[in-house]
Amino acid sequence: MIDENCIFCKIGAGEIPTNPVYEDDRVIAFDDLEPLMPVHTLIIPKNHYANIGDNVPEDELGHLFGTVQKVAEIKGIAKDGYRLLINTGENASQSVKHLHIHVLGGGLMPRPNDQDWGSAATNADKFYSDEDK
Ligand code: DGP
């Protein structure tokens, strides 16, 4: 279940060399190319699923989520806390169409409600003028 055109499948298969934060037979975790926080690690299943809505078997999901705390411990953010992000589909601006969990940490992050979520957000008044909407 590998998509030969998928860059994350290639990372999972070892065809594109990476520096794994954690790896086992089903998942690999590696640091994001464009980190948003001091710690920004991606966890992916080695099998290809376009996103979390792509009929992912529950045992696969369980294993994937079971990796989160391991990665947080390896990266030293388990104690202070971290944020998980899973962009899914167009409205979430998912850019790589292979299921991945972003693990973000290493500093205080504002609550999502305080952030600029785009002009469609219910708090858009804080960030956008009427002309932008
Ligand atoms: P998303 O928008 O949720 O699909 O985020 C995809 C993330 O993947 C984005 O933060 C950048 C990262 N990324 C894309 N290509 C590569 C790559 O080849 N290597 C690594 N390490 N990260 C990548």
Side-chain angles (χ1 to χ4, degrees), residues 90-127:
E90 231 172 273
N91 271 2
S93 303
Q94 181 185 359
S95 61
V96 178
K97 309 293 189 289
H98 181 121
L99 171 60
H100 52 282
I101 303 176
H102 296 253
V103 183
L104 296 151
L108 185 64
M109 291 166 275
R111 286 174 53 80
N113 287 352
D114 300 333
Q115 289 175 328
D116 172 5
W117 278 51
S119 61
T122 54
N123 68 352
D125 288 349
K126 284 190 198 167
F127 303 101

Side-chain angles (χ1 to χ4, degrees), residues 7-8 11 16 18 30-36 40 42 85-88 92-98 100 102:
I7 189 154
F8 282 4
I11 290 174
I16 295 179
T18 192
F30 51 93
D31 288 331
D32 196 291
L33 205 57
E34 298 160 8
L36 298 173
H40 187 165
L42 304 174
L85 182 70
I86 307 176
N87 292 320
T88 305
S93 303
Q94 181 185 359
S95 61
V96 178
K97 309 293 189 289
H98 181 121
H100 52 282
H102 296 253

Side-chain angles (χ1 to χ4, degrees), residues 20-43:
V21 170
Y22 172 84
E23 182 170 13
D24 62 28
D25 57 330
R26 297 179 75 168
V27 301
I28 183 167
F30 51 93
D31 288 331
D32 196 291
L33 205 57
E34 298 160 8
L36 298 173
M37 287 295 289
V39 174
H40 187 165
T41 300
L42 304 174
I43 311 173

Side-chain angles (χ1 to χ4, degrees), residues 32-64:
D32 196 291
L33 205 57
E34 298 160 8
L36 298 173
M37 287 295 289
V39 174
H40 187 165
T41 300
L42 304 174
I43 311 173
I44 66 166
K46 291 186 174 179
N47 285 324
H48 183 80
Y49 307 98
N51 58 46
I52 205 166
D54 190 16
N55 298 311
V56 189
E58 287 191 5
D59 65 318
E60 189 89 286
L61 285 174
H63 190 80
L64 189 66

